[in-house]
Amino acid sequence: MDQSRQITAMQAGAIMGSTIIGVGVLPLPLFAVRAGGSAAPLVTLIGLLVGSIGLSIIIWLGIRFPRKSIIEYSEDLIGRWPSWIGSLLIIGFFAVLTSLAAREFGEVVVTSVLKSTPVEVTVIVMLLLAAIATRNAITTFAYMHYFYFPLLLVPGLLIVALSLKNAEAINLQPIWMQHSHGVIRGVLTIAALFQGNFIMTMVIPSMIAPRKSIKAGFWGMTIGGGLYVVIVAAAVAVFGAEEIKNLLWPTLELAKATSLPANVLERLDAAFLAVWVTAVFTTLLTSYYLTIYATRQIFRLADHKMLSFFMLPFVFAMAMMPQNIVQMYDIVEQVGQIGLCITIGYPALLIMISLMRKKRGKPVADQ
């Protein structure tokens, strides 16, 4: 077996699932309710389908070029200098995405837990953890996601299940959107939460069986995206659409309103935040790893370890640019929607050029 190919389909699916379940899970019901009201679960589902389209294109490209990442095969398709523009946009976008995720983490922590701690401290601590973790090889990166994925999924499903005792089915009606104003924007905002799946462009060249990326993509997207849908449905059923519009982090409020049977724990928000910190770490790990791994490839460097700390000051500086949490969420929505042009539009352009020019990479025999 090729020693550079050690990632299994199950590990690839875990990478996707743990990347999806991240920092965006806290304001997710708010984004969905603003767009569709009581039809928020439907808006979330549509956003999931839009994200799945982008993932399908990425996997299609990965199977056509199983030995190369998007940074490498884009040069074969559109030439070196045009591909550099696309690659630099990818690097810049995921660096910004990393910074915004770290800032959002910092804001939640200093607001909910460490109220006397400067936000800069929490941001730099999480970024340092991500920088240290990204110094590992991609196989170790896969093992970390594979280990943490069950620790994220099981508590998330548990909180949703326990919250249903406070649910009112009437809050989910009507299930269809009554107006179209803001729906498209909301769908795009939710679809942007799945952009971490772009990491598959780096994972597929290291998979034992690249063609099994289809199965990995399906299960990773179904499990991670399905959890998003049920969280939104549970939040709307418990609080109602109008109440959620007044909550900054509805998922956190859902955990506060949930208790274990026999009142073993009257509120699950503390336990939920502990799990959420892990979810933030895995999401940051993916976006930061993609940033430095793509940088290594575009500049033909032998190793990416030196880049993990080199990029850190720039990411930290971007994280501290928003003046407050309101401005930060405005930037998150705008950057996420613009990023869809990079994570969906750019791969779509590459696959069209690949088909027109009838170009594909050297195949790999699945082990």
Side-chain angles (χ1 to χ4, degrees):
M1 187 196 309
D2 186 349
Q3 292 301 311
S4 65
R5 295 185 172 276
Q6 299 180 17
I7 298 178
T8 65
M10 192 173 293
Q11 289 172 337
I15 290 171
M16 288 181 49
S18 61
T19 298
I20 291 172
I21 305 169
V23 66
V25 75
L26 289 189
L28 170 65
L30 178 60
F31 294 154
V33 164
R34 283 176 178 174
S38 60
L42 178 60
V43 174
T44 308
L45 181 61
I46 297 172
L48 168 62
L49 294 176
V50 173
S52 298
I53 292 172
L55 176 63
S56 300
I57 296 171
I58 289 169
I59 291 176
W60 191 1
L61 277 167
I63 292 174
R64 287 182 70 88
F65 299 91
R67 298 177 182 271
K68 296 181 178 181
S69 72
I70 193 171
I71 306 298
E72 297 167 321
Y73 58 67
S74 61
E75 292 188 11
D76 299 336
L77 293 173
I78 59 177
R80 183 173 184 181
W81 295 113
S83 72
W84 266 52
I85 296 174
S87 299
L88 289 174
L89 287 174
I90 291 170
I91 293 169
F93 171 68
F94 280 98
V96 171
L97 215 59
T98 303
S99 67
L100 290 173
R103 176 61 184 272
E104 188 173 356
F105 165 78
E107 292 288 354
V108 174
V109 170
V110 300
T111 302
S112 304
V113 186
L114 306 176
K115 298 182 180 181
S116 300
T117 305
V119 68
E120 292 85 356
V121 174
T122 55
V123 170
I124 193 64
V125 167
M126 182 54 77
L127 286 176
L128 277 170
L129 284 174
I132 293 170
T134 52
R135 290 173 61 83
N136 294 292
I138 196 165
T139 48
T140 307
F141 166 83
Y143 288 137
M144 284 190 281
H145 279 284
Y146 190 64
F147 174 78
Y148 285 121
F149 183 49
L151 303 180
L152 306 179
L153 181 63
V154 174
L157 292 174
L158 180 64
I159 288 173
V160 170
L162 293 174
S163 69
L164 293 179
K165 66 180 181 181
N166 302 318
E168 296 287 345
I170 191 75
N171 289 334
L172 292 168
Q173 298 176 2
I175 61 173
W176 191 255
M177 292 161 282
Q178 298 297 300
H179 55 81
S180 59
H181 177 69
V183 170
I184 295 178
R185 181 178 179 182
V187 167
L188 294 179
T189 299
I190 293 171
L193 298 177
F194 299 99
Q195 291 180 111
N197 289 333
F198 202 80
I199 190 65
M200 288 299 287
T201 61
M202 307 292 170
V203 171
I204 291 175
S206 297
M207 287 185 66
I208 297 172
R211 288 190 175 276
K212 289 187 178 179
S213 59
I214 299 173
K215 183 188 296 184
F218 173 79
W219 285 112
M221 203 68 163
T222 299
I223 295 173
L227 180 62
Y228 269 15
V229 174
V230 296
I231 284 175
V232 171
V236 175
V238 171
F239 298 118
E242 293 304 316
E243 178 64 23
I244 286 179
K245 292 178 182 178
N246 299 320
L247 302 175
L248 182 59
W249 298 308
T251 308
L252 181 58
E253 298 301 324
L254 185 68
K256 289 180 180 179
T258 305
S259 61
L260 288 175
N263 288 329
V264 176
L265 281 176
E266 292 187 4
R267 287 173 34 172
L268 295 180
D269 52 320
F272 173 76
L273 280 174
V275 175
W276 178 77
V277 168
T278 306
V280 174
F281 169 72
T282 56
T283 303
L284 273 177
L285 175 64
T286 294
S287 58
Y288 197 50
Y289 195 90
L290 201 154
T291 301
I292 63 173
Y293 203 78
T295 303
R296 177 189 76 80
Q297 291 187 328
I298 194 174
F299 291 110
R300 306 293 198 277
L301 300 177
D303 191 48
H304 68 275
K305 291 182 180 180
M306 59 174 286
L307 294 172
S308 60
F309 290 114
F310 176 78
M311 300 283 286
L312 191 61
F314 302 101
V315 175
F316 177 73
M318 288 189 291
M320 302 316 301
M321 282 184 180
Q323 298 300 309
N324 51 55
I325 194 168
V326 176
Q327 186 184 35
M328 182 201 71
Y329 275 120
D330 287 338
I331 295 173
V332 166
E333 290 192 51
Q334 294 170 11
V335 168
Q337 293 167 15
I338 294 171
L340 292 174
C341 297
I342 299 172
T343 57
I344 297 180
Y346 183 52
L349 174 65
L350 293 179
I351 195 65
M352 286 190 293
I353 294 174
S354 172
L355 293 172
M356 287 188 295
R357 297 184 62 186
K358 297 180 180 179
K359 295 199 70 170
R360 60 170 62 242
K362 188 177 178 182
V364 173
D366 289 352
Q367 303 295 325

